[in-house]
Amino acid sequence: MSPPSAIEPSSNGDSQKPSNIAPHEPGLNERDAKVKMPNFPGPPKFDDPYKERAYLKGRLAAAFRIFGKYGFDEGVAGHITLRDPVDPTTFWVNPFGVAFSLIKASDLILVNEEGEVIDGGPCRLLNSAAYMIHAAIHMARPDVNAAAHSHSIYGRSFCSLGKKLDTITQDSCAFHDDHVLYDSFNGIVLAEEEGKNIAKALGNNKAALLQNHGLLTCGKTIEETVFWFVSLEKCCHAQLLADAAAAGQGGSTIKIGDEEAKFTYNTVGTPRAGWFSAKPLFDVIHKETNGDYLE
């Protein structure tokens, strides 16, 4: 039996006639009800680099609050950097030893190519590993304006397996042919050469799995970078669960085909998609903190 048509009352209320309004969608006709992928909005544009700097520092501080909320902190480990729009050879980063969940825009420190702290908040301690890794990436990748690395629990667990992520979910399609495995661990990154090796392995990809270490993501915007990290962490979690469940049944997970993965990537894996996907994370942290991070 066909589903009942929506009913629309006549102007005098005495009779009824079939309507083309879709059930449960008042006012939406069949033509407009067809699903169309909208054009994503993009990040704001600035004609003054100093105004852009002020805005981006607020976004970077919010990024740390998001990392703190998701438990991506491990003592003093972890860092997110942002290329400075006023002087692109420098970048902003969190001061060493300040909790992610407490960071404000005024706490951030500015670091030059030589690893010198040239501006920023009252605590100007620089994490040497942050400088070695991020300076190498920012120098090797002019397109990268932000990079993030932290010791998240599922990310570092997955990184102990010494393999790349399988494309087994729609979300993992964002990393299909766009992440690498850095299959080396030489301790805490305190040497310039190690940072350069990580940057070289990263290549033009958005993410790296640092073996026995953790996740690293990068992007054109801080929002994109944060979303890739959050999503990659969840993809690692999903694969750890799926692999364990499949092994328990004596089988393996079902992989998404290359063609389908590439098609999906073009929707969920682009820089614009990453930026827009991060919007809810930043909106929620702003509401929960009452904008405290902007100070």
Side-chain angles (χ1 to χ4, degrees):
M1 178 182 295
S2 300
S5 301
I7 302 300
E8 180 181 84
S10 65
S11 58
N12 59 20
D14 296 332
S15 61
Q16 294 179 322
K17 62 181 180 179
S19 167
N20 66 348
I21 295 177
H24 310 300
E25 293 287 348
L28 187 64
N29 60 44
E30 292 175 358
R31 176 178 58 82
D32 293 336
K34 292 181 180 178
V35 176
K36 298 177 182 178
M37 182 60 68
N39 291 323
F40 295 122
K45 297 184 183 300
F46 296 84
D47 55 10
D48 183 341
Y50 287 94
K51 291 181 180 179
E52 184 176 10
R53 171 193 277 179
Y55 172 79
L56 292 178
K57 286 179 66 180
R59 299 303 272 180
L60 180 56
F64 285 111
R65 297 297 185 100
I66 292 169
F67 268 40
K69 178 179 179 179
Y70 277 85
F72 295 161
D73 48 353
E74 181 76 13
V76 297
H79 20 84
I80 312 174
T81 55
L82 175 72
R83 191 187 299 275
D84 182 50
V86 176
D87 181 0
T89 66
T90 64
F91 60 82
W92 295 91
V93 67
N94 50 308
F96 199 25
V98 177
F100 287 176
S101 297
L102 298 178
I103 286 182
K104 300 179 180 180
S106 57
D107 292 319
L108 301 170
I109 56 177
L110 185 64
V111 183
N112 64 18
E113 290 181 327
E114 289 71 42
E116 300 169 333
V117 178
I118 57 176
D119 197 0
C123 175
R124 297 196 175 188
L125 288 176
L126 173 64
N127 184 331
S128 296
Y131 168 71
M132 293 301 177
I133 296 174
H134 292 255
I137 292 172
H138 283 292
M139 283 189 275
R141 293 279 299 277
D143 62 307
V144 165
N145 289 316
H149 166 65
S150 193
H151 300 171
S152 54
I153 186 65
Y154 298 111
R156 70 190 190 206
S157 298
F158 189 86
C159 287
S160 70
L161 303 178
K163 65 177 185 177
K164 292 173 63 177
L165 196 71
D166 290 330
T167 309
I168 58 173
T169 64
Q170 176 175 300
D171 305 283
S172 64
C173 288
F175 303 97
H176 186 73
D177 289 340
D178 202 7
H179 76 286
V180 300
L181 169 67
Y182 179 65
D183 58 354
S184 176
F185 179 73
N186 296 309
I188 298 175
V189 183
L190 300 178
E192 182 178 357
E193 190 64 25
E194 182 72 353
K196 289 182 178 179
N197 288 339
I198 291 174
K200 183 178 179 180
L202 177 65
N204 292 320
N205 296 279
K206 66 159 63 90
L209 306 176
L210 307 182
Q211 189 168 287
N212 304 114
H213 193 170
L215 308 180
L216 185 148
T217 60
C218 62
K220 294 182 178 181
T221 62
I222 186 63
E223 293 88 354
E224 175 194 354
T225 301
V226 167
F227 182 74
W228 296 146
F229 194 100
V230 171
S231 183
L232 185 57
E233 167 76 357
K234 291 182 177 181
C235 286
C236 288
H237 189 182
Q239 185 167 339
L240 289 168
L241 292 173
D243 282 347
Q249 296 178 346
S252 60
T253 57
I254 297 173
K255 313 302 188 290
I256 296 174
D258 183 65
E259 183 177 350
E260 292 79 9
K262 288 179 178 178
F263 176 81
T264 307
Y265 175 94
N266 289 331
T267 298
V268 302
T270 65
R272 183 66 65 88
W275 178 87
F276 188 60
S277 295
K279 181 181 181 298
L281 300 176
F282 282 78
D283 289 347
V284 169
I285 211 68
H286 184 80
K287 178 72 172 181
E288 291 179 344
T289 64
N290 292 316
D292 171 70
Y293 62 91
L294 293 171
E295 297 178 7

